[in-house]
Amino acid sequence: MTTYLTTLAKVITIVIGSVCTAFLFFSCQHQDSPKTYPTEYADRDSILKNRLIAMDTLSAKRRSAYLERALDELEQEQDYKDNPYYWIVKSFHERSLNSRDSIRSNLSNVDSMGLTPDIYALKEYLLINEQIAIDKHIDAERMEQIIHERNKIERSQSVFVYLWDDLLAMSFYNNHDPNKSLHYVKEYMMHHPLRSNDRMRQRYYDIRFMIAQRVEDTVEMEIYLDSCRQLAVAIQDSAALMRSYDYEGQLYSLHGRHDQAIASFRKFFNYHQRTGKLQFYMFNNLAKAFYESNQLDSTIKYLEMSEEWGKQTDKRHVRTLSELDMLSDAYASKGDFRKAWLIKTKQYEDFKTSTLELQREKMAEISTKYETQKKD
């Protein structure tokens, strides 16, 4: 099953995407009487604001080029470094390239320029995403801090409150709270200035399907599957149309119609194989459908293909516990208990190795921060 972040990457590849240690930046306070920068920036900033809003209608690849053009135009102006929107756009651009090292440094330039409600909302949003990228999870206390910040931004009447709604929808989804996730998905669409855009509607239908799937509400799943497919046909979006076959496979699986699930997943898989856009979950969804249909050889085939593909595309890839459980069970069901036992042993070794690697990375990160603080 795909996570919220993975599916967003599929949908419009909005990395929201992939997103916290302690939220030190929450100490920044909204100014009661925000300063203003020179009035000649007003029209230019309005254009830049609209460009940032339009990002949600673009794929990751197109968004990066789109932001790069905006930066190029800004840098033609003599005083571009005095405009806080330059540093905001620069940070979004670096984030789109997964180049995050200088984002905090970029945003520190904004503080001395005066924080309007929109600049504040954008700056804090970028900072909080950096923290989430470091922590990999959000606990209850931090979730409360994000909600508090989001509500403060809503009271300031910033147009960018929708970014915070999207962040909370994703966070609650990943924390297995679909009801709160749904609440913020609705808030996101309500607050987004481009909510009637076809790409925005498609994204909304995708997310509504995901949430319905999480609670196994087959009625809602069917409603939003149909909405996704009809809109994909209407706007001639082949990627969205193919994505609907993945959703169809999920729905068939819940109904126990395994042969039809296999057909839908296979169509989705083959499309991405032809276009060179395979992802791990595509192998595993198809393998699971074969497993549920008791087609054990095909189950093993696609799980082994996943492993081989992983070695070629990501040297650090480690099979998930559920993958190895399925593979071990498939071999055991075929009577190959030695192979099943070896896979269970590999499961333990992979888990131990990945845990040690994460610990080493965390210690290296702490050491780097400590050395930096000593130099400062």
Side-chain angles (χ1 to χ4, degrees), residues 206-253:
D206 282 307
I207 297 170
R208 288 300 303 267
F209 180 91
M210 289 162 50
I211 293 172
Q213 180 190 8
R214 175 62 61 85
V215 296
E216 299 187 352
D217 184 338
T218 56
V219 174
E220 287 271 294
M221 287 172 68
E222 191 161 353
I223 289 171
Y224 288 104
L225 165 60
D226 290 343
S227 297
C228 286
R229 184 166 289 172
Q230 289 172 18
L231 183 56
V233 171
I235 65 177
Q236 299 182 337
D237 186 337
S238 58
L241 180 60
M242 286 298 109
R243 199 162 54 247
S244 73
Y245 287 104
D246 181 42
Y247 299 163
E248 186 175 68
Q250 307 286 359
L251 186 59
Y252 283 142
S253 290

Side-chain angles (χ1 to χ4, degrees), residues 46-91:
S46 179
I47 292 170
L48 289 168
K49 188 190 300 187
N50 288 334
R51 282 186 172 182
L52 290 171
I53 291 169
M55 284 194 305
D56 276 10
T57 67
L58 303 174
S59 68
K61 185 176 180 180
R62 290 184 60 201
R63 185 184 312 159
S64 181
Y66 176 83
L67 290 167
E68 187 171 356
R69 287 197 301 272
L71 280 176
D72 288 344
E73 291 173 15
L74 276 166
E75 289 171 356
Q76 299 306 310
E77 301 176 12
Q78 188 174 0
D79 59 351
Y80 68 89
K81 289 187 177 180
D82 295 328
N83 185 348
Y85 273 104
Y86 168 74
W87 300 105
I88 296 292
V89 173
K90 185 175 176 65
S91 296

Side-chain angles (χ1 to χ4, degrees), residues 30-31 34 115-122 153 156-160:
H30 219 336
Q31 299 181 22
L115 301 180
T116 65
D118 287 332
I119 292 294
Y120 178 88
L122 290 164
I153 287 165
S156 76
Q157 299 185 331
S158 168
V159 69
F160 293 108

Side-chain angles (χ1 to χ4, degrees), residues 367-376:
S367 177
T368 300
K369 288 182 178 179
Y370 176 71
E371 292 300 326
T372 302
Q373 289 170 354
K374 280 202 301 184
K375 291 175 184 177
D376 294 341

